[in-house]
Amino acid sequence: MTKIFPTSIHYFTGILLTVLGAFLILTSLYALFYEDLSIETIIGSSLLLLVGLFCFWILLDTKYKVDNTHVYYTSGPIRGKIEIASIRKIEYQKGWYTKSLLKPALDYNGVYLYYNKFDDLYLSPKDRVEFVNFLLTINPNIMIMT
C-alpha cells in the first residue's frame, strides 16, 4: 500500500519561488538574446537560468510518499527515506520557527518526525492529520505530540 502526500505550500513561499524563478529565467533569456554574447554573458546567464529552474524544481517537486516500510521525501535535489519502524514520535508544528536542520517543506504548518535516537525531519504534507494517521496504521507505537 503506497500513498503520495503532496506538500502544503504557504502562499508567501509559493509567490517568492515563482517570482524569483521567473525573474531569473527572464533576466537570463534577456541577457542571452539582447546583450553582446561574451563568455561572461553566457556564463552569467546560464547561472541565472539554472538558479531560476532550481526554484521551480523545488516548487513543483516537493512531495512525500509512504509505503509499508518507509517515508520517502523529495524537494528538488533533497531526497531521502526514513524507516517507519524507526519513528519514535511525531510533533505537530505551527509557526515560522523550525528547529530541524533538514526541512524538505514549503509551509510552516507541518510535522516533525523524530526517528532513530537523535534524528528529526520537518515535513509539511497538505493533510497533516491523514499523513499522521496513515503512519499510525503502519506503526501504532509512534507517540503523538501536539
Side-chain angles (χ1 to χ4, degrees):
M1 154 174 46
T2 300
K3 187 156 178 141
I4 295 176
F5 295 90
T7 188
S8 173
I9 301 173
H10 188 266
Y11 67 91
F12 180 74
T13 306
I15 290 171
L16 178 70
L17 286 173
T18 302
V19 169
L20 181 63
F23 175 75
L24 293 173
I25 290 170
L26 292 174
T27 302
S28 70
L29 293 177
Y30 176 82
L32 283 174
F33 290 113
Y34 294 106
E35 298 292 326
D36 294 333
L37 281 182
S38 64
I39 191 72
E40 292 88 5
T41 304
I42 293 171
I43 291 173
S45 296
S46 299
L47 288 174
L48 288 176
L49 182 65
L50 287 175
V51 173
L53 291 173
F54 183 78
C55 290
F56 283 112
W57 185 21
I58 289 173
L59 186 64
L60 299 174
D61 190 43
T62 300
K63 62 183 169 286
Y64 318 109
K65 184 174 95 172
V66 180
D67 64 15
N68 289 332
T69 57
H70 291 88
V71 175
Y72 300 90
Y73 55 90
T74 61
S75 181
I78 301 170
R79 296 169 187 277
K81 66 180 179 178
I82 299 172
E83 216 177 309
I84 295 175
S86 70
I87 299 174
R88 297 178 289 113
K89 68 179 176 177
I90 296 175
E91 180 182 354
Y92 286 94
Q93 161 70 17
K94 183 174 174 98
W96 284 102
Y97 174 74
T98 59
K99 52 193 170 196
S100 181
L101 291 177
L102 185 56
K103 185 184 168 201
L106 299 176
D107 198 357
Y108 63 86
N109 290 326
V111 293
Y112 287 104
L113 300 182
Y114 296 96
Y115 60 101
N116 295 333
K117 192 166 184 173
F118 298 110
D119 298 322
D120 63 26
L121 175 70
Y122 180 76
L123 304 176
S124 65
K126 192 173 277 188
D127 189 347
R128 298 186 305 169
V129 174
E130 181 184 1
F131 180 77
V132 170
N133 287 338
F134 194 76
L135 291 177
L136 285 173
T137 60
I138 299 168
N139 182 1
N141 297 325
I142 298 173
M143 184 172 54
I144 305 299
M145 313 268 305
T146 53

